[in-house]
Amino acid sequence: MIRHLAPLFFLLIWTASGQAQSALNDSTAVAGRWSTERINNWYAEQPWLVGCNYYPRTAINQIDMWQASTWDPATIREELGWAADLGMNTLRVYLHDLVWADDESGLYQRMDEFLTICQQYGIRPFFVFFDDCHFPDPQLGEQPLPVASFHNSGWVNSPARELANRYAEGKATSEEVARLKAYVQKTIQRFRDDERVLLWELYNEPGRGQGELSPESNAYAGGIGEKSNQLVYNTWLWAREVNPSQPITSTTHGCVGERNIKINRINSDLHSIHPYGGPDYLTKTIEEYQKDGRPVLVTEWLARTHGSTVQECLPIMKEMNVGAINWGFVSGETGTVWPWSSRKGTDGEKLSAHALREAGKVVKPGEPFPEPEVWFHDLFRADGTPYDQAEIQLFKELTKRESEKEQ
């Protein structure tokens, strides 16, 4: 427990929709957090955790990865072979509430298949439930074509921004609240004792997603900010009720909103942080979270044009004994070899992915993906050739030393 945070209490308030709401103060502790001794003992049993945020190159977003019509185990198997060859032993993998609601049993079958493939390569992944980043209007079915030279032109919120806003206002229906709760609880329950699952991450970067254009309304959705508080907090209640054998975390550094950060920081068994910056910034951020006496996972990093490089940052994370899980793996439909700035025009104004698609500026099936001279994220091209062989060699050297130490 963070020493400067006093015990906190909450009051349940029932809205007209029947949704249980909490009167949150700046941070609210939920019973069930692992003790520092327990989580540090757990962490000591793990290898140096190194991996990536994973989705196959054939998926533009979380829905594309997991729905039955676009499930692609052949590509997953190929790419996980490349990951294992680097020495990666974990993956951060996003789920989506709409896929679960549409096909719960099918999703669990595909998760089982994914976990079996991971196990064959000595990889223990972990799953993320909710995400406020990027486009606000997720839809099942065929996903949009990737916009050429545009960072993450198809990544979607979970839940949809419209529902997230109503949830924050206490206007979500009782059926919608029950669906989100069951999505979290039944999924954790299904795999709560599965040794193939490393841990659970409840919410990626709550409060983000500012300024994303909705193709439905052709208007910018705006950031959700502190309005995420209620769902962030309730995910902790729901997860702790299940009490899985694996530890639980939720993004802290990388959130928008002080209360989002505080709620996640006071409840996480170990910390999940996103320091996209050079060596000094990375070190400073890690040290800040290590003050809590709990393990730290850097669950997003690698932004080459921002100073977050393999050569300079990966050795620091190994030396500081923190997990190193970079964004992206194989260049593909997400277009994350392109920087965040690719989403803006030369005048600095936000570009509309929807309008660019309408204008035909897309990568069609079978066409090669364009790439900048300096990649932002990702390590491999679709054919398995590396962006930078020196980076690949460093991954192998550092993970090899770890495996030799274990022997």
Side-chain angles (χ1 to χ4, degrees), residues 46 254 276 353 368 403 405:
Q46 311 307 316
Y276 280 113
S403 63
K405 183 174 67 175

Side-chain angles (χ1 to χ4, degrees), residues 103-122:
D103 185 15
E104 177 186 342
S105 62
L107 173 62
Y108 292 158
Q109 289 172 8
R110 292 185 285 278
M111 289 176 70
D112 257 323
E113 184 176 2
F114 179 75
L115 287 167
T116 297
I117 296 171
C118 287
Q119 186 177 42
Q120 291 168 351
Y121 287 107

Side-chain angles (χ1 to χ4, degrees), residues 20-181:
Q21 296 286 319
S22 307
L24 300 176
N25 42 29
D26 279 349
S27 52
T28 304
V30 174
R33 189 190 198 192
W34 288 18
S35 68
T36 54
E37 180 181 14
R38 181 182 179 188
I39 190 58
N40 281 304
N41 287 341
W42 176 90
Y43 193 68
E45 295 173 354
Q46 311 307 316
W48 176 45
L49 295 172
V50 58
C52 65
N53 285 259
Y54 181 74
Y55 40 83
R57 62 185 183 268
T58 52
I60 197 171
N61 57 31
Q62 319 93 303
I63 293 173
D64 233 7
M65 176 173 179
W66 288 112
Q67 65 184 354
S69 60
T70 45
W71 172 242
D72 190 0
T75 296
I76 290 170
R77 186 178 298 277
E78 178 181 51
E79 292 178 352
L80 265 55
W82 301 343
D85 188 55
L86 283 188
M88 289 184 171
N89 52 34
T90 190
L91 303 170
R92 184 175 185 245
V93 183
Y94 287 75
L95 304 173
H96 201 283
D97 64 288
L98 292 185
V99 178
W100 178 88
D102 179 66
D103 185 15
E104 177 186 342
S105 62
L107 173 62
Y108 292 158
Q109 289 172 8
R110 292 185 285 278
M111 289 176 70
D112 257 323
E113 184 176 2
F114 179 75
L115 287 167
T116 297
I117 296 171
C118 287
Q119 186 177 42
Q120 291 168 351
Y121 287 107
I123 294 171
R124 295 177 69 203
F126 59 102
F127 298 105
V128 184
F129 288 101
F130 295 121
D131 186 8
D132 283 342
C133 289
H134 302 301
F135 295 93
D137 298 311
Q139 302 288 333
L140 294 172
E142 185 176 357
Q143 300 300 300
L145 292 174
V147 176
S149 307
F150 191 104
H151 179 98
N152 249 337
S153 64
W155 198 264
V156 287
N157 288 186
S158 177
R161 182 70 57 82
E162 185 272 337
L163 173 54
N165 278 323
R166 286 192 293 108
Y167 193 100
E169 296 163 0
K171 296 177 181 178
T173 67
S174 57
E175 291 79 9
E176 289 170 328
V177 175
R179 175 174 68 81
L180 295 178
K181 180 178 180 179

Side-chain angles (χ1 to χ4, degrees), residues 328-384:
F329 190 56
V330 181
S331 173
E333 297 218 359
T334 62
T336 52
V337 295
W338 294 90
W340 299 317
S341 60
S342 66
R343 301 163 69 95
K344 296 182 178 180
T346 55
D347 59 359
E349 292 295 314
K350 293 182 177 70
L351 298 173
S352 164
H354 179 63
L356 291 170
R357 284 192 182 95
E358 291 291 307
K361 296 182 179 180
V362 297
V363 181
K364 297 178 181 177
E367 292 181 345
F369 292 101
E371 58 182 66
E373 182 177 352
V374 178
W375 284 19
F376 195 61
H377 301 317
D378 302 317
L379 298 171
F380 289 98
R381 296 181 179 88
D383 63 2

Side-chain angles (χ1 to χ4, degrees), residues 47 399-407:
T399 55
K400 181 180 179 182
R401 289 181 209 164
E402 182 70 16
S403 63
E404 288 175 345
K405 183 174 67 175
E406 291 172 8
Q407 294 173 2

